[in-house]
Amino acid sequence: MVTSVMPTYGRIDIAFERGEGSYLYSTDGRRFLDFATGIATNSLGHAHPHLVAKVQEQAGKLWHVSNLYNIPGQQQFADRLVANSFADTCFFCNSGAEAMEGALKVARKYHFVNGNPEREEVVCATGSFHGRTLATLSAGDNEKYREGFGPRPDGFKHVAFGNLNEMRAAMSDKTAAIVVEPIQGEGGINPASDDYLRALREIADEFGALLVFDEVQCGMGRTGHLFAYEIAGVAPDVMALAKGLGSGFPVGAVLASEKGASGMTPGTHGSTYGGNPLAMAAGNAVLDVMLEPGFLATVTENGAYLRKALESVAKRHPKVIESVRGVGLMQGMKCVVTNLDLMTATRDAGLLTVVAGDNVLRILPPLTVSKSEIDEAIGLLDTAFSAVTAK
Ligand SMILES: *Cc1c(COP(=O)(O)O)cnc(C)c1O
């Protein structure tokens, strides 16, 4: 008999009842250091006092109104995202997949209104993940996720991530956009090189296509920069955000330049919940914290501290870990043994981690993590890796 919750997940048998900062407390009385953060989503940890206060305050006033009306919190959030990014305009939605759907619509509509309706094709990268809706499954590179779901939204091509020759060869006068994650998350924490991102910008411009970045996972401070594209100094035309944007409150956004968004006129796109007052209170509260002077510099500093410590753990356990990769507080450990076994072992030791493609174990602490919590996590990794080696 089917379970009342549709069994689409392989679930770990733990439930959490409370969180505080970098820690989660389970219903059976255990405490875990959370370096998975709801998969890069609880960007400011659990029960952050400023977020709790702002969301509680808004919850007592107004949760939801339709986008038929002005929403001051939405205006404010958009203004702040625009002021702190390449973008001139933002559309709000509720998830990463929706943000990517929106980004794809923005890109195709741009060409449609600019006299090139034949430009529908989107060139994507191998190893990419863009969400679980039908179109984002076509954009992503996981055949298993697509299987059995009927006709696929077409107009998507895949070329090897990092390979400029393949990218160039895939471009044509039918290309609407290039879509990449500046750091692939689900694919296994694969950072694109700065040169690759810069070259994508040039290729997109040369072929008259738009450049779309999926920063759903790598954006919102995770790299020590508010957005990962800043590292290479390459601005996209369109960008999708979600995960860390609401620190666990469901908020997604499509950011675009004025040019990129030139097709998006009243009636072209919409969302019932997108940008509602409660979500915007959460998003604004996240920005309050992330834009505080020194916040991102601390992420960079702690990211470097974490990276160094992970590399020394890897060196101590060569039979378990092959290498470490990533940027800032978005790190991955390429495993020698099965990543799922390691995730279980770290959890048994009291540390939550999460697996990714390419047999990688992801290390995604809250951006508010302290050095002593990083030290504690490293101790737990040592314990877990020793336990795995002893087996
Ligand atoms: C998680 C993720 C998505 C999908 O986000 P959902 O909120 O699960 O729809 C899209 N792109 C990237 C890069 C992601 O990491």
Side-chain angles (χ1 to χ4, degrees), residues 95-97 129-131 181 186 214 216-217 243:
S95 70
F129 179 78
H130 300 295
E181 296 160 79
E186 302 302 306
D214 181 346
V216 168
Q217 190 160 155
K243 293 202 164 89

Side-chain angles (χ1 to χ4, degrees), residues 204-367:
D205 290 343
E206 184 185 327
F207 285 86
L210 296 186
L211 182 60
V212 177
F213 285 163
D214 181 346
E215 292 217 15
V216 168
Q217 190 160 155
C218 62
M220 295 314 292
R222 190 130 294 272
T223 60
H225 300 264
L226 194 55
F227 305 111
Y229 72 79
E230 295 170 23
I231 300 168
V234 169
D237 301 291
V238 186
M239 177 168 76
L241 295 176
K243 293 202 164 89
L245 189 60
S247 192
F249 198 97
V251 193
V254 184
L255 275 60
S257 64
E258 181 160 19
K259 171 187 148 181
S262 55
M264 304 312 284
T265 49
T268 51
H269 195 37
S271 163
T272 297
Y273 286 129
N276 85 12
L278 198 55
M280 297 296 96
N284 274 310
V286 167
L287 276 189
D288 290 343
V289 176
M290 288 192 186
L291 296 178
E292 257 169 40
F295 180 87
L296 292 169
T298 304
V299 172
T300 299
E301 189 184 311
N302 288 341
Y305 186 81
L306 171 68
R307 174 59 174 267
K308 214 170 146 210
L310 290 176
E311 273 168 7
S312 53
V313 175
K315 233 178 241 150
R316 288 195 288 280
H317 301 275
K319 290 193 178 114
V320 180
I321 299 296
E322 188 182 302
S323 56
V324 184
R325 60 205 199 198
V327 181
L329 292 174
M330 184 174 185
Q331 296 291 333
M333 305 183 97
K334 169 90 174 159
C335 305
V336 179
V337 300
T338 310
N339 59 355
L340 263 168
D341 292 345
L342 283 191
M343 180 177 75
T344 304
T346 69
R347 188 170 66 247
D348 290 346
L351 177 71
L352 301 180
T353 57
V354 60
V355 295
D358 197 30
N359 203 29
V360 162
L361 188 69
R362 272 179 285 183
I363 308 291
L364 302 166
L367 307 187

Side-chain angles (χ1 to χ4, degrees), residues 147-208:
E147 191 182 48
F149 291 116
R152 293 156 188 196
D154 66 7
F156 295 90
K157 267 193 197 172
H158 291 84
V159 298
F161 183 64
N163 187 319
L164 290 168
N165 292 333
E166 282 194 22
M167 180 58 74
R168 201 165 257 291
M171 301 296 290
S172 74
D173 55 8
K174 299 277 190 305
T175 311
I178 294 172
V179 173
V180 297
E181 296 160 79
I183 303 169
Q184 292 186 336
E186 302 302 306
I189 312 289
N190 303 311
S193 72
D194 294 352
D195 286 345
Y196 179 64
L197 295 179
R198 288 185 198 122
L200 290 185
R201 177 72 273 174
E202 284 168 19
I203 292 171
D205 290 343
E206 184 185 327
F207 285 86

Side-chain angles (χ1 to χ4, degrees), residues 137-150 152 158:
L137 284 178
S138 281
D141 180 38
N142 194 322
E143 183 52 34
K144 235 176 76 192
Y145 290 169
R146 285 192 280 257
E147 191 182 48
F149 291 116
R152 293 156 188 196
H158 291 84

